[in-house]
């Protein structure tokens, strides 16, 4: 039986990575086979594309180039890691996936939600998340967390206005797909956020007869 694709989304500094790690530890403790991965990246080729995308020297990058590079990185990631793991019945936990492109490139960069969705549907060839956790944190709070951690990459160096658009963009997606996208207040204690995520995942596992 096909495995489960769980993705985590949210603005920079929303604590996705911490939550992804906690979720993976929880699932492994239950004896389930889990692959943890992230975007942009997750394969050698995708990590090379990631370096181009996040390099602060690349200020000249055209918005369309950016959108296509994220999609290219994703196409490789799906083909090499995500799809094979799902076919083996594994659970894949992915830190960011196509919703990031729809929000960052489609909405915040202004390329258009539908256009970016199309490029990405082509890239993922039907491989869609079963459930997506959206960690909601207002842009200023998220960026403060990030800046306190040190160096900013190309995207993190964008204006507060850009990050405000990202925040709004995620709310649009959440309203569009409430069945798949579960919004969680990331201002709460990490343990509380973790428990909320676990609750939804357990529900999904039951539906799949995996729990
Ligand atoms: P990452 O370093 O994983 O940042 P974070 O720790 O905040 O998740 O992601 C790099 C940046 O790339 C992040 O600012 C969001 C951006 N991004 C896009 O613009 N489009 C995409 O499709 C993806 C996956 C990420």
């Amino acid at each position: 039986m096909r495995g489960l694709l769980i993705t985590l989304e949210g603005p920079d500094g929303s604590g996705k990575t911490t939550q992804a790690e906690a979720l993976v530890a929880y699932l492994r403790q239950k004896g389930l086979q889990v692959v943890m991965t992230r975007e942009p990246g997750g394969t050698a080729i995708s990590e090379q594309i990631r370096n181009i995308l996040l390099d602060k020297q690349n200020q000249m990058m055209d918005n369309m180039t950016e959108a296509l590079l994220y999609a290219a990185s994703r196409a490789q990631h799906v083909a090499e890691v995500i799809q094979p793991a799902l076919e083996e019945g594994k659970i894949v936990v992915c830190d960011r996936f196509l919703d990031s492109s729809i929000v960052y490139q489609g909405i915040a960069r202004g390329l258009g939600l539908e256009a970016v969705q199309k490029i990405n549907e082509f890239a993922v060839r039907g491989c869609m998340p079963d459930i997506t956790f959206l960690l909601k944190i207002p842009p200023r709070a998220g960026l403060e967390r990030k800046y306190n951690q040190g160096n900013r990459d190309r995207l993190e160096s964008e204006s507060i206005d850009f990050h405000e658009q990202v925040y709004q963009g995620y709310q649009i997606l959440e309203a569009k797909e409430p069945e798949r996208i579960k919004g969680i207040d990331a201002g709460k204690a990490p343990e509380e956020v973790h428990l909320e995520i676990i609750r939804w995942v357990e529900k999904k596992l039951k539906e799949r007869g995996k729990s």
Side-chain angles (χ1 to χ4, degrees):
M1 196 176 19
R2 183 184 180 271
L4 205 62
L5 176 55
I6 303 172
T7 61
L8 286 104
E9 294 282 352
D12 297 76
S14 55
K16 292 182 309 302
T17 310
T18 309
Q19 291 301 331
E21 283 166 359
L23 174 60
V24 168
Y26 172 86
L27 293 168
R28 286 194 176 138
Q29 236 172 18
K30 284 177 70 97
L32 295 165
Q33 281 196 297
V34 187
V35 172
M36 182 176 171
T37 187
R38 67 153 183 192
E39 289 206 343
T43 75
I45 292 171
S46 308
E47 291 286 338
Q48 289 177 53
I49 300 174
R50 176 188 176 93
N51 290 338
I52 302 173
L53 280 163
L54 301 187
D55 187 346
K56 268 201 275 188
Q57 307 244 305
N58 288 335
Q59 293 300 333
M60 291 283 292
M61 193 180 295
D62 175 71
N63 288 345
M64 189 66 91
T65 309
E66 182 181 286
L68 289 167
L69 283 176
Y70 276 113
S73 155
R74 181 162 302 127
Q76 186 66 30
H77 191 207
V78 167
E80 207 180 312
V81 175
I82 299 178
Q83 193 60 39
L86 293 176
E87 276 165 20
E88 287 168 17
K90 293 179 181 158
I91 299 178
V92 178
V93 176
C94 191
D95 186 351
R96 294 195 182 280
F97 195 57
L98 90 171
D99 298 308
S100 282
S101 278
I102 295 171
V103 167
Y104 281 76
Q105 282 66 54
I107 297 171
R109 291 280 192 231
L111 287 177
L113 195 148
E114 281 84 19
V116 175
Q117 194 151 4
K118 272 213 181 100
I119 299 170
N120 277 282
E121 275 167 7
F122 182 62
V124 305
R125 62 212 94 171
C127 181
M128 283 297 289
D130 296 283
I131 188 160
T132 298
F133 295 105
L134 169 57
L135 302 188
K136 302 208 282 192
I137 188 165
R140 275 181 204 279
L143 288 176
E144 259 164 38
R145 279 195 198 169
K146 271 277 162 181
Y147 294 171
N148 291 338
Q149 288 163 15
N151 258 347
R152 310 172 197 183
D153 63 36
R154 194 174 60 87
L155 273 286
E156 282 157 11
S157 307
E158 278 293 338
S159 66
I160 188 81
D161 189 51
F162 176 83
H163 291 284
E164 188 65 51
Q165 301 249 29
V166 167
Y167 184 64
Q168 309 274 343
Y170 272 125
Q171 322 254 48
I172 295 173
L173 283 198
E174 186 191 3
K176 241 180 114 199
E177 285 190 71
E179 265 304 301
R180 172 173 71 87
I181 304 179
K182 308 295 177 198
I184 299 180
D185 173 8
K188 292 198 289 197
E191 300 74 32
E192 277 184 59
V193 176
H194 176 64
L195 288 178
E196 206 169 328
I197 291 178
I198 297 300
R199 207 161 40 79
W200 284 113
V201 170
E202 281 294 346
K203 196 161 167 253
K204 268 278 157 209
L205 289 173
K206 276 217 181 75
E207 278 169 29
R208 288 293 177 91
K210 274 185 188 285
S211 192

